[in-house]
Amino acid sequence: MRRSPKMVTEAMQTYSFSRRAWLLGTAQAGVGLLLAGRMGWLAIAQNEKYNLLAESNRVNLTMIPPRRGWIVDRHGAPIANNRTDFRIDIIPDRLEGGDAGRDRVLALLARLLDLTPDDVERIRIDLDGAAGFQPVQVAENISWDRFAAISLRQPELPGVAPTRGFARAYPAGAAVAHLTGYVGAANAEQFKKTHDPLLVTPGFKLGKDGLEKQLEPLLRGVAGAKRVEVTARGKVVAELPTRADVPGKTQRLTIDAGLQEYAARRLGTNSGSAVVLDCRTGEMLAMVSMPAYDPNSFSDGISHLEWKMLSDDDHVPLMNKVTQGLYPPGSTVKPMNGLALLAAGVGAHDRIVCSGALRVGTGIFHCHKKGGHGPLDLKGAIEQSCDIYFYEMIRRQGYDKIAPVARMVGLGQKFDLPLATQRYGTVPDSEWKLRKYKHPWTVADGLNASIGQGYVLANPLQLAVMAARIASGRALQPSLLASHVHLDAPALPVPSEHLAIVRDAMYGVINQGGTGAAARLLVPGVAIAGKTGTAQVRRITMAERRSTGVIKNGQLPFKMRDHALFVGFAPHDNPQYAIAVVLEHNGHTVRNLDTPMIARDIMTYQFDRDRAMKALADVEPTWGGDIGTRMAAQAAAYRAAQSPPPAANATKTDATVPSDSDAVEAATDLANQTQAAMAPVAVTGDAEPADASDPSGRTQP
């Protein structure tokens, strides 16, 4: 059925139009409210944000690296300071035009800065290996004219960042390397941990090793900011007020910079270390490890070739031997042994007859004097460094009575110092061996330990503390920061008469016909007391003794020679300074490079500097010149022998620092292997026959 069409009336049309108009008006009102609300949000709540964005478009903000706090010695002389520096860096992320743009920038830089082809190649390699945000150094410490030339041409050099600031400087160079460490640019890993924009600011460097690293929060300071008004195209319109940086805090050390440098030079061509302490306060006056690297070179950025040269050196210049080197202390422990024997009830005048050898079970223990010393009491045994006396006395008492005294005077001890790397060595006893090796203590263990061999290991700092505690009679704690000196150290639990006996014997070592006469001071009215030592690093077989005799150190390869040691204090009757000198594989082969004369001259510096400097001037030319001259000659010879490829000249940017280097780890592993090879041989029961080997670990005075 067909439906009739619906009629649309005027009222219906009016109603429909009114409803649509209302809906449209409502929608328009809603949009208007949204727009008004958004405008209000942007104008009020987000006002600061967009003001900052607008300001950042108008103003170019550049962080200014803070001036690093100085490190000064006890007298205020700079050990690490800052010099004015004009430098040029490239920020890889800001380069434009791909490889062609980079080549154009490098060509212009080479012309403006007079770069060599090797310099340009090094920059290319560094750019290829750098993170995009990481500045790549082009040139440092350039002249004002060249800096100005780059600044004027900067619109043509996208990605190039000329910076005027301050660079770290170490006036004493290698002499303080292992004390201060050095600074360097942050690597990618360090930036990713904090995303601190300061870390990727051209010219900023942070502590990488040594005190520079340990004192970083105090030395860094607070960054400043440079503000310039620019157009949309980046053209500078005006310079705005600059926010100044806040310099880091100066750190004063207990070190005497003059003594530190003198000791480094006086060690000569040795691989070794020297430590000088104040016997009254425990303050460290010198802490030297040589050879060393130049921290100025490291802070500028060394090449892979330089790192390889230092890593390949068998004198291990990357190691801080003062705290990372562990050595058998040899006869330097005999004064300490004397204190322990006196405490155990041994009389100062009790005698032992030294015939040159002592048979224990099926083993033979030798004295350094083949024919023997004859009858000796404690003073004579220390003066003549008689092994047989200490073998016999400590065999009677047991080494468990010696070990506590060794720890009391500082061996095996960790000290509260701002040094990242301290190896503590070993003071063995029966409980220690059972715990570590699951074997009981033997007579051979005690005899070897009695002359500072076998399981006994110490670092040079511990030996210096031992000398200072015997000299002062107090439990001195070494300090390195002038603000953290440990004053009023308690007295050692040792009778004063026992200390007097041992000190008198140490005086006799140097001044009354003992083994250390070469250490005698030439300063009128000042005498040094001390003890020499030799630590063997190879076994001497009975077959060697019978056939050719013991091979002299001068005929052995460097790594097979004995270590040479010395500990002492002066003046002997009113101790002010204590010293320890340890020379790796020195073997007592050159008299003016041996421990007694080195210790003599270093101690002389404290009482008569002119005399000490004259003594150094007489011998230093025979070693090839001063430290810098010898290092330059070594580097030139190494480069000539290597004929390195261009990549070897690239800047080393990885996180490995000297104290953590593979070379240091390898040296430590070798020392551990040597100690294991020198472990005592049993001399009771089914011991090796006497002609198989000499279990004594022979030591010399």
Side-chain angles (χ1 to χ4, degrees):
M1 182 177 182
R2 188 174 183 182
R3 183 176 295 178
S4 59
K6 187 176 181 180
M7 299 296 293
V8 178
T9 65
E10 184 177 350
M12 292 174 63
Q13 287 180 332
T14 300
Y15 172 77
S16 176
F17 176 79
S18 297
R19 185 177 61 177
R20 291 175 184 174
W22 182 84
L23 289 173
L24 182 59
T26 302
Q28 288 175 334
V31 171
L33 287 173
L34 284 174
L35 289 174
R38 179 61 176 170
M39 290 176 66
W41 169 260
L42 294 176
I44 300 171
Q46 297 288 291
N47 179 271
E48 184 176 354
K49 173 184 175 181
Y50 286 100
N51 271 339
L52 289 174
L53 286 175
E55 184 71 4
S56 68
N57 286 331
R58 184 182 71 87
V59 176
N60 191 338
L61 183 69
T62 303
M63 295 189 77
I64 300 174
R67 287 163 289 175
R68 199 165 179 83
W70 286 25
I71 299 175
V72 300
D73 82 340
R74 62 191 300 109
H75 306 299
I79 293 176
N81 58 10
N82 305 315
R83 56 174 170 79
T84 303
D85 179 46
F86 296 107
R87 60 179 292 123
I88 307 297
D89 295 278
I90 293 178
I91 313 299
D93 274 351
R94 298 179 187 174
L95 287 169
E96 298 175 358
D99 291 342
R102 184 179 74 171
D103 291 343
R104 184 186 60 78
V105 167
L106 289 178
L108 185 52
L109 287 174
R111 180 164 61 83
L112 294 173
L113 297 174
D114 197 22
L115 302 176
T116 67
D118 286 345
D119 292 333
V120 175
E121 184 62 25
R122 189 269 304 167
I123 297 167
R124 289 182 190 276
I125 297 171
D126 288 355
L127 285 171
D128 290 337
F133 49 77
Q134 189 175 10
V136 169
Q137 180 178 305
V138 175
E140 189 171 36
N141 198 26
I142 63 175
S143 68
W144 164 253
D145 291 341
R146 288 183 173 174
F147 178 79
I150 296 295
S151 299
L152 287 172
R153 304 289 291 274
Q154 199 166 0
E156 304 171 49
L157 295 166
V160 174
T163 308
R164 177 172 55 187
F166 296 88
R168 203 60 159 169
Y170 305 91
V176 299
H178 292 293
L179 171 66
T180 61
Y182 65 99
V183 298
N187 55 46
E189 290 74 18
Q190 290 169 321
F191 176 72
K192 289 173 182 176
K193 284 181 181 178
T194 63
H195 291 282
D196 183 349
L198 179 60
L199 298 186
V200 292
T201 299
F204 174 76
K205 294 180 179 179
L206 72 167
K208 292 285 191 173
D209 209 358
L211 290 176
E212 292 280 23
K213 179 179 180 180
Q214 296 302 306
L215 303 178
E216 174 67 22
L218 299 171
L219 294 170
R220 179 180 293 192
V222 179
K226 178 183 178 182
R227 300 167 65 241
V228 293
E229 187 174 0
V230 296
T231 66
R233 295 180 177 274
K235 183 178 179 181
V236 176
V237 175
E239 289 195 9
L240 301 176
T242 296
R243 186 183 73 213
D245 65 301
V246 179
K249 297 179 180 178
T250 294
Q251 300 299 303
R252 184 183 294 269
L253 307 183
T254 61
I255 295 292
D256 182 327
L259 177 65
Q260 176 84 10
E261 187 170 1
Y262 182 86
R265 293 174 63 186
R266 187 59 187 85
L267 286 173
T269 57
N270 280 298
S271 172
S273 56
V275 181
V276 180
L277 300 179
D278 189 314
C279 288
R280 297 157 294 188
T281 62
E283 293 170 281
M284 297 177 68
L285 304 178
M287 188 198 88
V288 179
S289 175
M290 295 301 290
Y293 58 89
D294 184 353
N296 293 297
S297 178
F298 266 61
S299 294
D300 290 343
I302 68 162
S303 67
H304 290 282
L305 179 68
E306 291 173 275
W307 179 262
K308 187 175 186 303
M309 177 188 72
L310 294 167
S311 299
D312 290 346
D313 193 329
D314 62 1
H315 284 35
V316 202
L318 295 174
M319 173 185 276
N320 181 1
K321 299 176 180 69
V322 172
T323 56
Q324 290 184 288
L326 292 177
Y327 311 94
S331 295
T332 61
V333 298
K334 288 175 179 174
M336 177 276 296
N337 287 345
L339 288 177
L341 290 173
L342 291 169
V346 174
H349 299 295
D350 293 353
R351 291 177 178 266
I352 294 292
V353 177
C354 171
S355 62
L358 175 69
R359 180 177 289 275
V360 180
T362 57
I364 297 178
F365 288 76
H366 294 271
C367 187
H368 70 87
K369 187 175 182 180
K370 188 174 182 180
H373 292 97
L376 290 173
D377 61 8
L378 177 60
K379 180 181 178 182
I382 293 174
E383 286 180 352
Q384 300 304 319
S385 199
C386 178
D387 295 333
I388 301 301
Y389 176 93
F390 290 98
Y391 288 151
E392 181 58 33
M393 284 298 189
I394 291 177
R395 181 174 68 159
R396 295 176 186 179
Q397 300 298 325
Y399 195 77
D400 280 1
K401 291 185 179 179
I402 309 299
V405 178
R407 298 187 187 103
M408 178 186 69
V409 296
L411 301 189
Q413 190 172 348
K414 178 182 179 181
F415 304 112
D416 181 21
L417 295 168
L419 299 170
T421 52
Q422 285 191 63
R423 293 194 170 110
Y424 317 124
T426 305
V427 177
D429 56 20
S430 56
E431 182 183 347
W432 171 87
K433 186 182 179 186
L434 194 62
R435 184 173 65 250
K436 183 174 178 64
Y437 293 107
K438 307 296 187 286
H439 292 295
W441 189 262
T442 67
V443 174
D445 294 329
L447 269 60
N448 276 271
S450 73
I451 58 168
Q453 294 270 184
Y455 297 120
V456 184
L457 288 174
N459 66 41
L461 175 58
Q462 292 168 341
L463 295 178
V465 170
M466 177 181 71
R469 289 183 178 179
I470 291 174
S472 67
R474 294 189 293 146
L476 296 171
Q477 293 292 326
S479 55
L480 197 50
L481 298 178
S483 58
H484 291 79
V485 177
H486 307 282
L487 300 174
D488 302 320
L492 294 174
V494 178
S496 58
E497 56 269 25
H498 291 181
L499 287 168
I501 291 169
V502 169
R503 291 173 190 151
D504 182 51
M506 294 178 73
Y507 172 80
V509 169
I510 312 298
N511 305 283
Q512 294 176 337
T515 58
R520 186 177 302 160
L521 292 184
L522 303 178
V523 180
V526 182
I528 184 173
K531 184 69 190 78
T532 54
T534 302
Q536 187 180 317
V537 298
R538 69 182 187 96
R539 282 194 179 278
I540 300 173
T541 66
M542 294 300 293
E544 178 183 328
R545 290 182 184 276
R546 285 196 302 264
S547 60
T548 60
V550 178
I551 300 172
K552 295 185 180 299
N553 279 287
Q555 299 171 300
L556 292 169
F558 173 72
K559 288 290 185 180
M560 300 297 290
R561 298 174 187 170
D562 299 337
H563 299 317
L565 307 95
F566 181 93
V567 299
F569 55 85
H572 81 284
D573 53 353
N574 181 26
Q576 296 179 40
Y577 309 110
I579 187 171
V581 179
V582 179
L583 306 179
E584 294 181 336
H585 309 293
N586 171 273
H588 307 291
T589 52
V590 180
R591 184 174 172 80
N592 66 26
L593 285 171
D594 201 359
T595 50
M597 293 188 72
I598 290 174
R600 179 200 70 183
D601 289 349
I602 293 175
M603 199 64 86
T604 297
Y605 183 91
Q606 290 297 87
F607 299 101
D608 189 338
R609 297 193 177 189
D610 291 340
R611 187 186 296 269
M613 293 304 296
K614 183 181 183 306
L616 178 61
D618 289 341
V619 293
E620 194 171 46
T622 67
W623 307 330
D626 62 16
I627 296 171
T629 301
R630 296 199 307 270
M631 289 178 68
Q634 181 185 16
Y638 187 84
R639 177 176 287 276
Q642 293 291 313
S643 300
N649 296 312
T651 305
K652 177 185 175 295
T653 57
D654 60 62
T656 304
V657 298
S659 58
D660 297 329
S661 66
D662 291 341
V664 171
E665 293 303 318
T668 302
D669 291 343
L670 179 60
N672 291 338
Q673 293 167 15
T674 299
Q675 183 204 14
M678 294 292 293
V681 178
V683 292
T684 57
D686 298 326
E688 286 188 86
D691 62 351
S693 65
D694 171 17
S696 71
R698 177 186 60 89
T699 186
Q700 294 214 3

